[in-house]
Amino acid sequence: MGMKLEKVVPWGRNIGEYRSMFLLDDDDMKKKIAGFGDGPASFNCQASAQGADITSFDPTYSFSAEQFRKRIGEVRDIIISQMRENAENYVWDRIKSVQELEGIRMSAMDMFLDDFERGKAEGRYVCHELPDRLPCDDGTFDIGLSSHFLLMYDQLGYDFHVAAISEMLRVCREVRIFPLCDLDGNSSELADKVIEYFGRSYKTEIVKTDYEFQRGADKLLIIRR
Ligand SMILES: C[S@@+](CC[C@H](N)C(=O)[O-])C[C@H]1O[C@@H](n2cnc3c(N)ncnc32)[C@H](O)[C@@H]1O
């Protein structure tokens, strides 16, 4: 059964945030990159405009740009008022206020919306739900990314994460997951178990980045073949 629009809370980050979270340098940006759970982030749109080769996968890509736009309008004020209530959980150095954050997120999502239908036709936005098999050959991508999705939601469970990351590693030579914490910014037993599992067959590395907006959410997990 497909995803229900009323369950979707669209909220997307931009290329500057993606490059900081995932430590994507200029050489990385020349590689073939897949984003898993990219939702309405503007990374694909902005990076593609600079000539990069990016494919984004997300189950919400079954919706149209108009459906996304309507849903963003419905949830925007709710998310912003929750951020105001929980402002102490965030680090307000790069982004100085909730108002500035709202502007950054809306601008990212506007870029995504303006690009979405064309990008879908070009095959840059693909409707796909992990851990289902991806419509790609083994080793298609150099780098696979997951921002604010994998390892954050304990309720998805260990088996889901092992299956999802295994499928990502089938099509990507390297997977980067940010942040390495749960929704409250705490380290999790789930992440420890998942890292231990992949550490048996892959090289795993945890890198502290200088991107920390949510308190405690500053670590990147890299899994390489
Ligand atoms: C919090 S959003 C993050 C959006 C984007 N990565 C960013 O950082 O701006 C989480 C995303 O994960 C997607 N998602 C949820 N379940 C998924 C699944 N099983 N497979 C792939 N993506 C999924 C959601 O649709 C949503 O777009």
Side-chain angles (χ1 to χ4, degrees), residues 60-77:
T60 60
Y61 294 161
S62 57
F63 301 120
S64 66
E66 266 329 293
Q67 285 175 306
F68 259 115
R69 203 179 295 278
K70 183 168 171 288
R71 186 66 189 146
I72 290 166
E74 286 166 2
V75 300
R76 170 185 182 165
D77 289 348

Side-chain angles (χ1 to χ4, degrees), residues 5 14 19 27 37 74 79 132 181 186-187 191-192 195 224:
L5 187 59
N14 63 31
R19 289 196 64 168
D27 283 340
E74 286 166 2
I79 298 174
D132 291 353
C181 63
N186 299 316
S187 54
D192 291 345
I195 294 166
R224 290 192 186 88

Side-chain angles (χ1 to χ4, degrees), residues 4-5 36 47 66 95 98 118 122 129 180-181 187 223 225:
K4 290 204 168 30
L5 187 59
F36 298 93
E66 266 329 293
I95 301 172
V98 175
R118 192 181 59 186
E122 290 173 358
E129 183 164 7
L180 188 52
C181 63
S187 54
I223 308 175
R225 288 189 188 180

Side-chain angles (χ1 to χ4, degrees), residues 30-84:
K30 293 183 190 125
K31 295 177 179 166
K32 210 168 158 54
I33 298 178
F36 298 93
D38 269 349
S42 60
F43 175 65
N44 187 321
C45 157
Q46 292 180 282
S48 299
Q50 295 170 6
D53 184 341
I54 317 286
T55 308
S56 296
F57 298 92
D58 197 292
T60 60
Y61 294 161
S62 57
F63 301 120
S64 66
E66 266 329 293
Q67 285 175 306
F68 259 115
R69 203 179 295 278
K70 183 168 171 288
R71 186 66 189 146
I72 290 166
E74 286 166 2
V75 300
R76 170 185 182 165
D77 289 348
I78 300 167
I79 298 174
I80 289 301
S81 69
Q82 284 170 352
M83 299 240 21
R84 281 191 209 289

Side-chain angles (χ1 to χ4, degrees), residues 98-109:
V98 175
Q99 196 181 9
E100 186 185 341
L101 175 80
E102 182 175 16
I104 291 169
R105 290 284 173 273
M106 292 311 293
S107 144
M109 291 192 286

Side-chain angles (χ1 to χ4, degrees), residues 3 11-13 18 21 36-41 57-60 128-130 147-149 153 160:
M3 197 170 251
W11 209 232
R13 292 168 182 80
Y18 262 62
M21 294 185 293
F36 298 93
D38 269 349
F57 298 92
D58 197 292
T60 60
H128 173 269
E129 183 164 7
L130 285 166
S147 153
H148 293 84
F149 164 47
Y153 298 87
F160 169 87

